Amino acid sequence: MSFSFVDLRPMNSSATHVVTEFVLLGFPGCWKAQIFLFSLFLVVYVLTLLGNGAIICAVRCDSRLHTPMYFLLGNFAFLEIWYVSSTVPNMLANILSKTKAISFSGCFLQFYFFFSLGTTECLFLAVMAYDRYLAICRPLHYPAIMTGRLCGMLVSFCWLIGFLGYPIPIFFISQLPFCGPNIIDHFLCDMDPLMALSCAPAPITEFVFYMQSSLVLFFTIMYILRSYTLLLRAVFRVPSAAGRRKAFSTCGSHLVVVSLFYGTVMVMYVSPTYGIPTLMQKILTLVYSVMSPLFNPLIYSLRNKDMKLALRNVLFGMRINQNS
């Protein structure tokens, strides 16, 4: 499907041409450095697919993991595969490309999927915090509340809100006049670089986009913090040390994921980025868009006994007794 943007844009007397493609500079360097980066990101991408794919297979194949927590974790792993795939394949092709060009429609398509999947991840993390809160703070009511139907509704809600929130603002951004230059000093099509290339200011569109992104980040992180505040209060009331350790182990991995993801995202999209060097912006984006999906399977599997046993069964075909 192709889009025609030329006729919809206002003519600019100073414009010499209309941009039909953008150039993503990525990580400039000599050819040997490019080959090293290509190899590094390819290994990271493959490991991310394998790690999250293994979690999905473990949740589906092991009956012990047919619980709401692991249902959410399996869907989260599925989301991570799509999230990393919205940037890395194009980045790998860009590294080997001589022109480093991406089409106009391709750039905005990546922009849409990148932000939609990122928003979906924020909502998923909030839902997973709600699940842990119920499991620890209201254990007797947990089975009655967190039913399979509710889990399905929450997962559907995350995907729908994530993908329905950005078509309109991104469409209006794509209608802005881009008459040159067309060089983006980044490895993906992001909000700030695209707005910097527009020939006409669009403060209302920019304000709406950033307000929408900030509200999603603010409300989800505040809900997560509130859930874990109540959760920690409940944990400290547990009389036995073994019970407290088990509760901390259950929610500790989720806190690590939340800290890794939100820490870098909020630096990029909540705090002003004009004082942050371009290279640092690229590194921060790499952390939450590429490294976070890689680390999440390791964080969840290494801190969870049931998941480790299920992964061993999936990866090695072993029958391992839960009590061994």
Side-chain angles (χ1 to χ4, degrees), residues 245-288:
R245 282 196 300 269
K246 183 178 180 181
F248 277 120
S249 177
T250 302
C251 62
S253 56
H254 188 221
L255 281 175
V256 173
V257 172
V258 168
S259 301
L260 180 66
F261 180 78
Y262 275 96
T264 50
V265 168
M266 294 187 76
V267 170
M268 285 296 300
Y269 297 107
V270 177
S271 63
T273 59
Y274 55 81
I276 303 177
T278 303
L279 179 59
M280 182 57 65
Q281 292 186 34
K282 295 178 185 179
I283 293 174
L284 289 172
T285 306
L286 273 177
V287 170
Y288 69 80

Side-chain angles (χ1 to χ4, degrees), residues 53-66:
I55 286 181
I56 295 173
C57 292
V59 172
R60 286 180 59 88
C61 299
D62 195 316
S63 59
R64 291 171 300 183
L65 303 186
H66 292 174

Side-chain angles (χ1 to χ4, degrees), residues 4 63 79 117 123 127 153 183 187 199 262 281 301 311:
S4 175
S63 59
L79 167 64
L117 290 165
L123 297 172
V127 168
M153 291 176 59
I183 297 175
F187 62 86
C199 301
Y262 275 96
Q281 292 186 34
S301 61
L311 287 174

Side-chain angles (χ1 to χ4, degrees), residues 54 58-59 62 64-65 305-315:
V59 172
D62 195 316
R64 291 171 300 183
L65 303 186
K305 180 182 176 182
D306 290 336
M307 180 59 71
K308 285 190 288 186
L309 292 173
L311 287 174
R312 288 177 189 174
N313 286 331
V314 169
L315 297 176

